[in-house]
Amino acid sequence: MYKLFFTLLLSLTFTQEPCEGTCFSEEEVINMTNNIKELQFKRETCESIYLNLESQIKDYVEQEKLNQLLIEDYKKQLEMSEEMIDLVKPKWHENKYLWFFGGIIITSGSVYLAGQIK
């Protein structure tokens, strides 16, 4: 009996403190915990997406630099090809009219000479 009385006295002495301010029920605490876990997961997902986006931006910037260098190289190549066209002009014997009329003269001359043979 003494032990039961002592246990009852201790349980009443060390009871739960009364709620001061805002008190939450077990269900509300569980909901808040679940919300916090969900928000932490979303934050981690957003951070990983952000890091991925930053790496993609770096890649695009590097690709843009390479594209600019390629464009400059193509412009230089075009300028060089225009210079080559100016430098390499056809010689006098590469004239197409000269070969055309030369061919006519040689052909007509050979036909005339073939007609002279009896």
Side-chain angles (χ1 to χ4, degrees):
M1 185 76 165
Y2 182 69
K3 288 183 180 181
L4 182 62
F5 179 71
F6 184 70
T7 309
L8 182 62
L9 184 64
L10 283 177
S11 67
L12 291 176
T13 307
F14 296 109
T15 60
Q16 185 177 5
E17 295 181 16
C19 181
E20 294 178 8
T22 307
C23 295
F24 297 110
S25 66
E26 280 294 319
E27 184 178 329
E28 289 175 331
V29 171
I30 291 172
N31 285 339
M32 283 191 284
T33 305
N34 290 336
N35 287 339
I36 289 171
K37 287 180 182 179
E38 182 181 341
L39 289 174
Q40 285 176 342
F41 176 74
K42 285 182 180 180
R43 184 182 59 92
E44 289 172 0
T45 306
C46 287
E47 286 176 354
S48 66
I49 291 172
Y50 181 75
L51 291 174
N52 186 12
L53 182 64
E54 280 186 339
S55 68
Q56 285 180 358
I57 289 172
K58 282 183 180 180
D59 291 342
Y60 288 140
V61 167
E62 290 175 8
Q63 187 65 38
E64 177 64 24
K65 288 178 184 177
L66 289 175
N67 288 342
Q68 289 297 330
L69 291 174
L70 280 173
I71 289 172
E72 290 175 11
D73 288 343
Y74 286 141
K75 286 180 181 179
K76 287 179 184 178
Q77 186 178 8
L78 183 63
E79 289 173 3
M80 290 175 67
S81 66
E82 289 174 355
E83 289 175 7
M84 290 296 293
I85 290 172
D86 291 339
L87 289 176
V88 181
K89 291 185 179 179
K91 307 289 187 226
W92 67 270
H93 57 82
E94 294 174 349
N95 190 340
K96 61 182 175 181
Y97 298 111
L98 176 69
W99 286 102
F100 177 73
F101 290 116
I104 290 175
I105 292 171
I106 291 174
T107 305
S108 61
S110 62
V111 168
Y112 176 73
L113 289 175
Q116 295 294 326
I117 299 177
K118 289 193 181 181

